[in-house]
């Protein structure tokens, strides 16, 4: 089969690799209908996170079950399914508590020895604990299928950030980061009942989506100017919660600078850079809570899925460039140069 591999920074290739196949009794093989490039994939693309030459890449996909192992009970060939960005066994204590990302037998697509999502098919370990069935009719609805793909990562990650930020009915929240996760954080905050949502971003195509998703205000400034702008919008107090969806030292400093005393920062930006920007003395003095981390999206999918199916939310606009497998290297380049927000892949 064909799949995307990374050989070195800025060297993404689509190559012939061994076919995905059932290896363990709890495995399933999924033929990929939709995949995408994640902002976190760019850290490997830029050489800021290590990858082995020839390693698979990509961790978001949905598709059709082609084959199952003898211990798979919940799925059969022909089922339309979505996979979260980590697999999990569904039986350990962490899975039972909803923290599927800490499953001792879990793993991340594209790690050495596993298939990546940006290919024609994927071997899925622990299929019963990992996959979520989708309505078969969705396969013929292109827009719906695209929206459902967001369940594999960005929508659930935005939801995780909103929960970490303590978003609830009537609250005011700021969103730091105008990538797909930040925009989905806007959507999640709106869904959870936020009254005012301040999106920080300076790219109009992205802030237009933020407004479409529920943002009431947009702040284009950065640094100290951004802090001043948010404070001005909130009577000098700051926001009840902040969704931090970037992961740099500057973005964390901004988040801590615009949250009000007693507020919460929900952080889901993959940390990268020289530091964290966290001042524990400031957090202690101002009673600021910090919650977040790797989003257990497998736990969130059953809750978010009905709202996509009935049209309450539609995350599909975050995908603004579509490519086939041959176009994946160009898709990485487009996202790296910020000419694309999030690249959809149709194998």
């Amino acid at each position: 089969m064909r799949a995307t591999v990374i050989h070195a920074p800025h060297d993404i290739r689509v190559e012939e690799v061994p076919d995905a196949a059932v290896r363990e009794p709890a495995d399933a093989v999924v033929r990929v209908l939709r995949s995408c490039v994640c902002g976190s994939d760019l850290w490997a693309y830029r050489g800021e996170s290590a990858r082995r030459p020839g390693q698979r890449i990509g961790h978001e996909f949905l598709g059709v079950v082609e084959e199952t192992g003898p211990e798979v009970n919940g799925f059969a060939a022909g089922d339309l399914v979505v996979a979260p960005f980590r697999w999990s066994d569904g039986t350990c204590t962490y899975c039972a508590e909803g923290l599927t990302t800490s499953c001792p037998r879990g793993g991340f697509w594209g790690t050495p020895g596993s298939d990546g999502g940006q290919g024609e098919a994927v071997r899925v370990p622990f299929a019963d604990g990992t996959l979520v069935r989708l309505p078969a009719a969705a396969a013929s609805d292109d827009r719906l299928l695209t929206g459902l793909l967001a369940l594999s990562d960005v929508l659930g990650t935005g939801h995780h950030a909103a929960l970490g930020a303590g978003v609830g009915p009537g609250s005011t929240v700021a969103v730091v980061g105008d990538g797909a996760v930040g925009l989905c954080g806007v959507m999640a905050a709106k869904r959870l009942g936020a009254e005012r949502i301040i999106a920080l971003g300076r790219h109009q195509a992205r802030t237009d989506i933020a407004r479409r998703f529920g943002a009431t205000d947009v702040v284009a400034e950065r640094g100290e100017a951004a802090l001043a702008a948010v404070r001005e919008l909130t009577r000098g107090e700051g926001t009840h919660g902040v969704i931090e969806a970037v992961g740099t030292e500057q973005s964390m400093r901004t988040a801590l600078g615009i949250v009000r005393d007693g507020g919460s920062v929900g952080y889901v930006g993959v940390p990268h850079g020289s530091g964290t920007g966290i001042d524990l003395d400031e957090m202690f003095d101002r009673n600021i809570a910090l919650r977040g981390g790797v989003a257990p999206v497998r736990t969130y999918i059953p809750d978010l899925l009905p709202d996509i199916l009935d049209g309450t939310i539609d995350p599909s606009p975050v995908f603004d460039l579509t490519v086939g497998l041959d176009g994946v290297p160009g898709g990485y380049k487009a996202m790296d140069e910020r000419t694309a927000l999030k690249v959809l892949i149709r194998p």
Side-chain angles (χ1 to χ4, degrees):
M1 69 177 192
R2 302 172 71 226
T4 306
V5 298
I6 182 167
H7 285 270
H10 301 282
D11 186 1
I12 296 285
R13 308 177 196 175
V14 178
E15 299 179 340
E16 293 288 334
V17 301
D19 287 342
V22 170
R23 297 183 195 167
E24 301 291 338
D27 288 352
V29 172
V30 173
R31 174 171 53 86
V32 177
L33 296 182
R34 296 288 187 277
S35 183
C36 53
V37 180
C38 183
S40 63
D41 292 329
L42 296 180
W43 303 124
Y45 181 73
R46 295 166 180 160
E48 297 183 34
S49 61
R51 294 291 189 275
R52 295 182 186 177
Q55 187 174 331
R56 310 286 181 81
I57 195 166
H59 54 265
E60 301 160 277
F61 65 95
L62 58 74
V64 176
V65 174
E66 293 279 276
E67 183 183 3
T68 61
E71 292 183 5
V72 176
N73 298 309
F75 300 94
D79 286 343
L80 182 67
V81 294
V82 63
F85 64 81
R86 288 182 64 95
W87 70 79
S88 51
D89 64 17
T91 61
C92 71
T93 55
Y94 285 112
C95 288
E97 294 167 2
L99 194 60
T100 53
T101 50
S102 290
C103 176
R105 296 198 290 176
F108 190 83
W109 312 110
T111 51
S114 70
D115 293 321
Q118 295 165 13
E120 293 182 317
V122 177
R123 178 183 75 90
V124 178
F126 305 110
D128 283 336
T130 301
L131 299 173
V132 177
R133 184 182 287 102
L134 303 172
S140 60
D141 186 331
D142 187 67
R143 186 178 185 86
L144 177 58
L145 202 62
T146 299
L148 291 169
L149 177 60
L151 289 168
S152 64
D153 186 346
V154 290
L155 182 58
T157 297
H159 179 69
H160 188 57
L163 293 177
V167 177
S171 61
T172 296
V173 60
V175 180
V176 180
D178 61 1
V181 170
L183 294 174
C184 286
V186 170
M187 177 175 283
K190 177 69 173 179
R191 179 178 175 272
L192 291 171
E195 182 176 321
R196 193 171 194 183
I197 303 170
I198 304 169
L200 279 69
R202 57 174 54 186
H203 299 86
Q204 185 174 346
R206 300 183 180 205
T207 56
D208 284 349
I209 296 174
R211 289 190 183 277
R212 182 175 175 180
F213 283 2
T216 55
D217 304 271
V218 170
V219 169
E221 293 85 356
R222 292 185 179 180
E224 292 297 324
L227 271 59
V230 173
R231 294 279 175 180
E232 183 177 353
L233 289 169
T234 56
R235 304 181 305 279
E237 293 182 355
T239 60
H240 298 105
V242 178
I243 290 172
E244 192 285 308
V246 182
T248 63
E249 183 170 349
Q250 180 58 57
S251 64
M252 186 62 79
R253 288 189 185 279
T254 297
L256 293 175
I258 60 180
V259 69
R260 75 192 299 273
D261 288 12
S264 301
V265 174
Y267 71 106
V268 293
V270 179
H272 54 278
S274 59
T276 63
I278 294 177
D279 184 337
L280 291 179
D281 286 339
E282 178 188 5
M283 294 179 65
F284 182 85
D285 291 342
R286 297 177 55 211
N287 281 284
I288 296 172
L290 183 66
R291 305 185 184 94
V294 185
V297 299
R298 175 60 182 83
T299 298
Y300 299 142
I301 291 175
D303 183 36
L304 297 170
L305 174 58
D307 282 2
I308 296 180
L309 294 176
D310 68 14
T312 300
I313 57 175
D314 176 18
S316 66
V318 301
F319 300 95
D320 61 344
L321 176 63
T322 300
V323 299
L325 273 182
D326 289 334
V328 171
Y332 272 82
K333 186 173 186 294
M335 284 184 61
D336 185 43
E337 295 175 350
R338 294 181 71 85
T339 59
L341 168 59
K342 190 168 181 64
V343 174
L344 177 71
I345 303 168
R346 294 181 176 179

